[in-house]
Amino acid sequence: MFGNILRLGRTASSAYESDEDDADDDDDYDDDYFIARSYGSRPRLEQWFPPHKEPQPEGLELMRGGEFGRVTNHFKAKKGIRNISRAFLDRSSRQTGPEREELAGDLIPNSNGAAVASHASNLYVGQFSKDSSFYYTCNQDFRLHLYDMTAPPSNYGQQRRGVKRHVTSAWDTNDRDHETTLKVLKVIEGRQGYWTITDSHLSPDNERIIYSSITPTVYMASTLDSSSVQTPIRFADQSRRRDRGGFGIWSCRFSTDGNEVIAGGSGHIFVYNLPAERKTVEIVAHSSDVNSCCWADSASGNVLVSASDDTFLKVWDRRSLGASWKPSGVLVGHTEGITNVSAKGDGRYIISNGKDQALRLWDLRKMRSSEEFDRLPKRSYGAPGYDYRHARYPKPRRSAHPNDCSVMTYRGHAVLRTLIRCNFSPAETTGSKYIYSGSADGRIHIWSLDGRIVEVLDRSETLPMSFRSSGPELQSRSRSAYTVVCVRDVSWSSTEPVMMSVGWEGSPTGGSIVARHEWKGLSKMSYSLEDWTEKQRAEGASSRIPER
């Protein structure tokens, strides 16, 4: 039963480029060199376009119109409840328990958190599995760690750490540069690629994991046993296959049924059929790197989305690719390259993070047609000479592309230094009514759909691993000029109001800390979340009983 799970006392370009093009691609590696260069200083975060402080009309229309889906708690939407006992009777007469969304829809993680794992090299991915029973990370040393999130955390005991490894040094087979209070299920030694693991993704059944590097090959490994066998998924043609060079994969995702993999890299996107062991889609999609790609909906898998450094997102319908290799539509709005795209899963709404310091919400029904896109002037609207890795965004010429077709824009975070990721809040508990992102300013930003920032979590205030994330926060410390944290990835649990974030600590030698952030009420009560929700219901009902 859901209440038993959510116990409040729980502590727990082209694909085959010339040598000159390959040299240009080196500029896209968001490496530690740039972090080290700015070590000891914070990013220069000029707010050229400040975040919204008031709800925006477009956002309110989205929330109230009904097309986005349910964004308000059923209980709060009900009117005319007069009897407290009636609320309890309604609950007891239900055939099934209350929906997760009804229980946790308004609970937002609001603590700065505590460290639960540390690594000597930079982590590029940190995500929950779909059911949040697993959490996994991948790092620059080509290791992947899988953690059991159903097990209670262990007490922290500092261990003797090995010499910090770098990507060019030998493997530390004892994993001594990794500390954690989480239960480790498996450590996967990835195949050595180029520079770093760029992306990874867990299959829907949690039995397999894929990961990519800046090479044409994605690898797939088992999560169930100690086997070291890894299956290569090759995206280069046999005649042109090169393990290093050629092109690299920046993004990879399993399909909902786990039978296909979408991948994006040097201007291309691919779909690979795992049972058939062959590529079924290969598209020259963009004029620059595809930094991120995803499936637009979780049902059919027919619609693909690619996001590129050419500033555009393109939408591809596999059912029409035989007739034309043009996109079904193009999402125009960013003025700089796009670092990440994430889908709500309903085939309509997606979000993207841009190097123009804007997070944009899109409705695929409002995209520009391929014909409209072809008629647009082929010019850049970005800032001349801007390099996002230098941790400074110069004053832009425009706030958006003149043909912007995005629904909403969210600001306040810093998309600098690395390919910062963004996501919708989980549909299971919140109805996807929040949007959140990491940030190079060391904070996690959470927005309401209406455009307002509703919560900011500060990783410079994260507690050491010897503390519990559920414990009281310490008195606020001053933000040291030498506390440089870059939050690259954040993941929100689908079962409880908990986030996990990956923060680069910013030292010249690299290093990352995973932190757990809770809704502060999660462990302060001795009863279940169901009981807490019922208490709120009763209090709400009581407040509406007229005085006699």
Side-chain angles (χ1 to χ4, degrees), residues 66-122:
E67 290 191 346
F68 187 85
R70 174 181 160 194
V71 294
T72 57
N73 189 292
H74 276 335
F75 176 71
K76 288 186 176 182
K78 291 178 180 178
K79 304 294 183 182
I81 297 178
R82 300 295 188 200
N83 193 308
I84 301 176
S85 62
R86 182 80 238 171
F88 288 92
L89 181 60
D90 288 344
R91 177 189 176 199
S92 63
S93 63
R94 286 176 176 164
Q95 296 299 313
T96 58
E99 295 180 10
R100 295 179 180 183
E101 185 181 342
E102 189 175 351
L103 294 173
D106 297 319
L107 306 185
I108 302 173
N110 57 3
S111 68
N112 296 320
V116 294
S118 66
H119 298 257
S121 59
N122 284 337

Side-chain angles (χ1 to χ4, degrees), residues 306-327:
S306 55
S308 171
D309 266 334
D310 64 12
T311 77
F312 303 115
L313 297 99
K314 294 185 178 180
V315 182
W316 312 85
D317 192 328
R318 299 167 68 180
R319 294 164 294 190
S320 61
L321 287 178
S324 170
W325 288 95
K326 287 192 172 184

Side-chain angles (χ1 to χ4, degrees), residues 27-44:
D27 291 340
D28 291 329
Y29 303 160
D30 47 343
D31 55 48
D32 297 332
Y33 166 72
F34 290 92
I35 298 291
R37 246 173 56 159
S38 58
Y39 179 59
S41 63
R42 288 205 161 274
R44 296 174 62 182

Side-chain angles (χ1 to χ4, degrees), residues 116 398 461:
V116 294
R398 290 178 175 268
E461 300 291 338

Side-chain angles (χ1 to χ4, degrees), residues 528-547:
S528 72
L529 187 55
E530 285 175 321
D531 294 331
W532 179 88
T533 305
E534 203 59 68
K535 179 174 179 288
Q536 304 305 304
R537 287 182 170 184
E539 290 175 353
S542 176
S543 66
R544 287 189 290 270
I545 297 176
E547 295 182 0

Side-chain angles (χ1 to χ4, degrees), residues 288-305:
S288 190
D289 278 342
V290 175
N291 290 327
S292 186
C293 58
C294 67
W295 310 89
D297 76 90
S298 56
S300 68
N302 285 320
V303 182
L304 320 173
V305 183

